[in-house]
Amino acid sequence: MPPIESVVVVLSGRRRRLPATGERSTAWPGRPFSGAHFRIDAVYQHTIGELRARGSVLWLVFAPLARNATAAALREVVAEIHAGAATAAERAELYTALLVMAAIDPWGHNLMKELVDMVEDKEEGLLRRTPIIGELIIEAERRGEERGEQRGERRGEQRGEEKATAELLGRLFARRIGRRPTTEEERSILERARASGPGEVEDALLDLEREALIRWLAEPVRSS
């Protein structure tokens, strides 16, 4: 038999470097070793440059798993696959694999939607006509919409809380000083509440004398 090297390609896992080799014993406990030794290729722990240096567009499909994957870097990868694939069928297979790798996303890059747009720019409609990848694209778009809605809700809640805090502290200022705060004073009150908490600002509004309070609000805000 010709010599055979076994390789295990690892797509996700711990952040620490995996060992270069491993073994799998199939022997009964207590008996001499019988099984396989193999090389471990943790592609997700490599950079895009290291994958590219292997000299084949095949390795570029693992680029979304790379530690340093970015939208800009993947745009170059998509162009390289487009130029380097031998046939249209091979190109479609490579793009399909690229999208599958993006769905694994071991580092939390969240680049699926951007990658889909890049591939669709090169091969319009191709991926959506591929059943499994089409489902991945729809799921990625759904998740992107949900994340956008959640971010919008969080921003809305935060703005609402800040508005309530500013109004409460503004009324307290007015009672202490005898007038509504100016726009700059309102901004200072809110920035201080963000930096140190509303409680500290409330204490200052209650404890400082009139002129000291106005000077305090005019000073630069020091982040905690």
Side-chain angles (χ1 to χ4, degrees):
M1 290 180 59
I4 298 175
E5 180 184 32
S6 297
V7 180
V8 174
V9 178
V10 184
L11 306 181
S12 67
R14 72 188 196 194
R15 291 178 176 268
R16 288 194 324 277
R17 284 284 183 183
L18 292 177
T21 59
E23 62 180 37
R24 175 71 175 175
S25 177
T26 57
W28 193 259
R31 301 296 296 274
F33 178 85
S34 176
H37 290 87
F38 48 86
R39 182 165 58 86
I40 297 175
D41 189 357
V43 289
Y44 77 99
Q45 293 184 337
H46 291 294
T47 65
I48 291 179
E50 289 169 343
L51 295 172
R52 182 180 285 118
R54 298 184 179 193
S56 169
V57 290
L58 174 62
W59 291 107
L60 292 179
V61 303
F62 297 108
L65 306 177
R67 291 177 295 142
N68 64 337
T70 63
L74 290 182
R75 189 171 291 108
E76 294 178 1
V77 166
V78 169
E80 288 177 60
I81 290 175
H82 186 82
T87 64
E90 180 181 83
R91 190 163 58 245
E93 290 173 357
L94 291 171
Y95 283 148
T96 298
L98 191 72
L99 267 293
V100 171
M101 294 301 108
I104 297 171
D105 198 15
W107 301 104
H109 294 318
N110 295 320
L111 294 171
M112 170 68 91
K113 188 176 187 305
E114 290 169 289
L115 187 56
V116 167
D117 292 341
M118 295 174 203
V119 174
E120 287 286 279
D121 285 344
K122 292 289 185 183
E123 303 285 342
E124 185 177 357
L126 171 67
L127 297 179
R128 292 180 184 275
R129 294 194 300 271
T130 306
I132 295 176
I133 300 304
E135 293 171 9
L136 277 176
I137 293 171
I138 293 171
E139 178 66 14
E141 291 173 345
R142 184 185 66 78
R143 289 181 180 176
E145 290 172 358
E146 287 179 353
R147 284 196 295 269
E149 290 172 359
Q150 289 169 359
R151 285 195 295 270
E153 289 172 1
R154 285 195 295 271
R155 285 195 295 270
E157 291 172 358
Q158 183 179 7
R159 284 195 293 268
E161 291 171 359
E162 288 183 345
K163 182 179 179 181
T165 298
E167 289 177 353
L168 177 62
L169 295 176
R171 286 198 298 271
L172 185 55
F173 175 95
R175 291 182 61 181
R176 291 281 288 122
I177 304 300
R179 61 171 175 80
R180 291 292 302 172
T182 65
T183 301
E184 288 302 318
E185 288 168 340
E186 283 184 343
R187 183 178 298 112
S188 178
I189 289 171
L190 186 53
E191 288 177 353
R192 290 173 191 280
R194 288 173 184 157
S196 305
E200 183 171 320
V201 179
E202 182 179 357
D203 289 343
L205 290 172
L206 291 171
D207 296 341
L208 293 176
E209 295 298 330
R210 186 179 190 281
E211 295 303 321
L213 177 57
I214 292 173
R215 285 197 303 271
W216 180 69
L217 289 176
E219 293 173 355
V221 178
R222 298 182 179 87
S223 58
S224 56

